[in-house]
């Protein structure tokens, strides 16, 4: 029996810090298009769909080649809705259409550094390791173990015992790249996305990662994108 996979791009309409963020032009193209194109070009998905509550986002997504078979509910469109709730709703709606999937990729619409190659690597790790999930991560550029806190207006080391240690002697720590997540569908449904056992990393470089939460972040991302293009890391 053949295995199948779905890419779910989560793109609700509301955005307070950057209005219209999910379809704002990134280097002259709606930013969501970069995620859609990467998913389509990877050729590993049986379905590339966008979960949205916004008609304009749906229109742009369809034009870029994604499916929007149904609109997101009001319950999963608010500020407090979690990504797991959105994914579960999508899977439930597909199940009602008698369509199920073995693997899920949840992808964000404001992640222009996603590549088809990294998506293929992510699914490969999931299968080869028999993982429950695979997450792209990047190493912290500065060791958090040597971080400060402000206490009564005074700057202090959070962990003073780490002060005399060399940075290279501290255990490397990583953070979520904020791009995409692969899941084994049955495990995700069973645990409602709340179990993190069997999670494997796809390690990215700092150049391949950029949070986009402010206008300054947006400009930085565009500059990084040009560098990645020059290096041939993005086609």
């Amino acid at each position: 029996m053949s295995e199948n996979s779905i890419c779910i791009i989560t793109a609700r309409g509301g955005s307070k810090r950057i209005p219209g963020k999910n379809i704002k032009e990134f280097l002259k193209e709606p930013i969501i298009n970069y995620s859609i194109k990467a998913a389509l070009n990877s050729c590993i998905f049986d379905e590339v769909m966008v979960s949205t509550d916004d008609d304009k986002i749906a229109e742009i997504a369809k034009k870029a080649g994604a499916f929007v078979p149904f609109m997101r509910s009001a319950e999963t469109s608010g500020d407090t809705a979690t990504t797991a709730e959105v994914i579960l709703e999508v899977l439930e709606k597909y199940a009602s259409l008698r369509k199920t999937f073995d693997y899920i990729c949840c992808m964000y619409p404001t992640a222009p550094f996603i590549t088809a190659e990294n998506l293929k690597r992510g699914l490969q790790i999931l299968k080869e390791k028999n993982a429950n999930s695979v997450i792209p991560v990047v190493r912290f550029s500065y060791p958090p173990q040597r971080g400060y806190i402000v206490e009564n207006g005074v700057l202090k080391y959070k962990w003073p015992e780490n002060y005399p240690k060399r940075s290279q002697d501290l255990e490397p720590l990583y953070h979520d790249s904020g791009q995409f997540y692969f899941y084994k569908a049955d495990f995700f449904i069973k645990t409602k996305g709340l179990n993190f056992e069997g999670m494997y990393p796809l390690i990215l470089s700092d150049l391949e990662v950029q949070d986009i939460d402010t206008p300054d972040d947006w400009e930085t991302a565009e500059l990084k994108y040009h560098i990645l293009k020059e290096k041939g890391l993005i086609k």
Side-chain angles (χ1 to χ4, degrees):
M1 186 175 180
S2 62
E3 297 175 322
N4 57 7
S5 58
I6 182 173
C7 176
I8 302 169
I9 300 173
T10 60
R12 72 184 183 95
S15 178
K16 294 182 174 63
R17 287 177 290 190
I18 302 178
K21 175 180 176 181
N22 290 333
I23 51 175
K24 178 179 168 67
E25 284 200 354
F26 183 90
L27 299 175
K28 300 181 180 181
E29 187 169 357
I31 194 167
I32 192 174
N33 286 12
Y34 292 83
S35 295
I36 294 171
K37 286 181 179 179
L40 293 173
N41 290 340
S42 72
C43 299
I44 60 174
F45 300 110
D46 297 272
E47 189 111 344
V48 176
M49 69 87 65
V50 171
S51 169
T52 187
D53 60 329
D54 186 279
D55 290 333
K56 190 171 183 180
I57 292 176
E59 180 184 346
I60 289 172
K62 290 176 184 176
K63 189 174 180 181
F67 289 105
V68 186
F70 39 76
M71 300 298 283
R72 191 187 297 193
S73 70
E75 290 75 19
T76 58
S77 298
D79 292 336
T80 59
T82 66
T83 299
E85 289 170 339
V86 173
I87 296 172
L88 289 168
E89 178 183 74
V90 168
L91 297 178
E92 287 171 3
K93 288 189 175 182
Y94 270 105
S96 71
L97 300 173
R98 297 186 178 181
K99 294 184 74 171
T100 59
F101 301 91
D102 300 291
Y103 304 110
I104 309 160
C105 178
C106 172
M107 187 183 297
Y108 290 131
T110 54
F113 300 166
I114 295 174
T115 64
E117 290 71 24
N118 281 341
L119 289 170
K120 287 188 277 191
R121 286 172 61 202
L123 184 57
Q124 182 180 6
I125 293 170
L126 192 74
K127 291 181 177 181
E128 288 184 353
K129 300 292 186 180
N130 192 27
N132 291 322
S133 63
V134 173
I135 298 179
V137 296
V138 60
R139 183 172 174 171
F140 279 97
S141 57
Y142 184 84
Q145 298 97 320
R146 295 185 66 179
Y148 296 99
I149 59 171
V150 178
E151 192 174 275
N152 298 321
V154 177
L155 197 63
K156 294 183 177 181
Y157 277 104
K158 174 64 175 175
W159 298 284
E161 66 273 17
N162 291 325
Y163 169 71
K165 297 179 182 177
R166 300 185 307 166
S167 296
Q168 59 265 41
D169 293 333
L170 296 170
E171 181 180 14
L173 295 179
Y174 299 82
H175 65 85
D176 186 350
S177 70
Q179 295 186 359
F180 62 89
Y181 312 93
F182 271 102
Y183 301 104
K184 194 182 293 180
D186 57 356
F187 183 83
F188 187 89
I189 293 168
K190 180 181 178 181
T191 63
K192 299 187 184 301
L194 299 175
N195 187 305
F196 305 104
E197 294 178 3
M199 181 167 56
Y200 280 74
L202 170 60
I203 299 175
L204 305 181
S205 69
D206 189 61
L207 184 60
E208 299 172 273
V209 177
Q210 177 64 47
D211 281 336
I212 306 180
D213 292 322
T214 68
D216 285 346
D217 291 341
W218 198 281
E219 292 182 10
T220 300
E222 289 185 330
L223 291 171
K224 276 190 172 184
Y225 190 90
H226 283 303
I227 296 171
L228 288 165
K229 287 280 285 186
E230 289 175 2
K231 289 179 173 288
L233 298 175
I234 288 181
K235 297 177 182 178

